[in-house]
């Protein structure tokens, strides 16, 4: 994974996205076959200590100190390589699982910041649940490059966060939207992981 800011050209991100509940909600939310093949492995290794905060900070910000970029890349690389060796992943499956871990850890980081900004733990939990109940049309809307320009869509997302009890401040609402987008990316990466898994298990015709 290349670092240098979420909006910068140096970040390797998935171009098209679908949306889903947050990876950090529960491992049981993922398909059993994906769990058995370690789709959450990188996420679990990243969040086993506070190192994921460096990874998330570098991923989200364009103005991080230069010395943090290789540090974050190393943390993610070590977690990814360890999981790839453990599960015997293909190159494409490794990339998908790395993205799942990166997005999930960054979501955790954002939710932690939302809590620090005054959101109650119960409100954060309600927010996660409301995300899981979003419509397929809302999920698909994240695939649009300019989805933030869709005022009706973003207002609906903000309303969902407010109904969950998140503080109605610019800072919190922006982090909530960031988390929603990353939930979409995570779900898409899980789909790619499963697609690779299915392909590898398909007997030759």
């Amino acid at each position: 994974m290349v670092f240098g800011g979420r909006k910068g050209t140096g970040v390797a991100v998935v171009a098209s996205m679908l949306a889903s509940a947050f990876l950090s909600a529960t491992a049981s939310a993922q398909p059993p076959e994906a769990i058995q093949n370690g789709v959450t492995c990188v996420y679990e290794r990243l969040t086993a200590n506070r190192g994921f905060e460096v990874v998330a900070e570098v991923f989200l910000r364009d103005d991080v100190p230069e010395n943090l970029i290789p540090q974050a890349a190393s943390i993610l690389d070590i977690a990814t390589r360890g999981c790839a060796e453990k599960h015997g992943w293909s190159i494409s499956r490794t990339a998908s699982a790395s993205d799942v871990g990166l997005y999930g850890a960054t979501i955790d980081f954002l939710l932690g910041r939302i809590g620090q900004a005054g959101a109650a733990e119960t409100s954060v939990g309600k927010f996660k649940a409301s995300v899981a109940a979003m419509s397929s049309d809302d999920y698909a809307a994240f695939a649009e490059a300019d989805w933030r320009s869709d005022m009706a869509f973003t207002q609906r997302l903000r309303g969902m966060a407010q109904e969950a009890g998140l503080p109605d401040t610019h800072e919190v609402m922006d982090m909530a939207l960031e988390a929603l987008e990353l939930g979409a990316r995570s779900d898409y990466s899980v789909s790619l992981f499963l697609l690779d898994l299915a392909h590898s298990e398909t007997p030759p015709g």
Side-chain angles (χ1 to χ4, degrees):
M1 174 60 64
V2 181
F3 286 94
R6 188 185 66 84
K7 299 179 180 67
T9 57
V11 181
V13 297
V14 178
S16 58
M17 299 168 285
L18 301 172
S20 180
F22 299 131
L23 173 67
S24 53
T26 58
S28 61
Q30 305 299 335
E33 60 271 32
I35 295 296
Q36 293 169 6
N37 284 274
V39 71
T40 60
C41 180
V42 178
Y43 165 76
E44 290 164 358
R45 291 196 181 207
L46 285 176
T47 55
N49 56 59
R50 299 289 293 274
F52 81 94
E53 295 179 354
V54 176
V55 175
E57 194 80 49
V58 170
F59 181 68
L60 290 168
R61 292 175 51 193
D62 294 324
D63 59 346
V64 295
E66 287 294 323
N67 66 300
L68 290 184
I69 296 175
Q71 181 182 346
S74 177
I75 292 170
L76 180 58
D77 182 61
I78 290 172
T80 300
R81 284 192 290 108
C83 289
E85 292 171 3
K86 176 181 178 181
H87 294 282
W89 290 333
S90 64
I91 293 175
S92 59
R93 203 177 308 169
T94 298
S96 296
S98 182
D99 284 344
V100 170
L102 172 62
Y103 301 149
T106 304
I107 288 169
D108 279 6
F109 176 81
L110 287 167
L111 294 182
R113 286 292 179 88
I114 288 173
Q116 292 171 11
E121 185 175 347
T122 52
S123 295
V124 174
K126 289 179 181 178
F127 180 53
K128 290 180 181 180
S130 62
V131 173
M134 287 175 66
S135 72
S136 57
D137 287 343
D138 282 343
Y139 290 169
F142 283 101
E144 300 297 329
D146 62 344
W147 66 267
R148 285 177 179 269
S149 299
D150 185 340
M151 300 309 295
F153 178 56
T154 56
Q155 189 59 40
R156 187 160 65 253
L157 296 178
R158 289 174 183 272
M160 182 176 64
Q162 292 163 7
E163 289 177 8
L166 300 190
D168 186 14
T169 65
H170 176 76
E171 178 189 19
V172 169
M173 290 298 112
D174 188 59
M175 288 190 290
L177 292 180
E178 292 270 14
L180 286 163
E181 180 182 10
L182 291 173
R185 295 185 183 196
S186 177
D187 186 75
Y188 183 70
S189 295
V190 170
S191 298
L192 292 178
F193 185 96
L194 288 170
L195 184 64
D196 181 84
L197 182 63
H199 179 75
S200 67
E201 293 178 349
T202 301

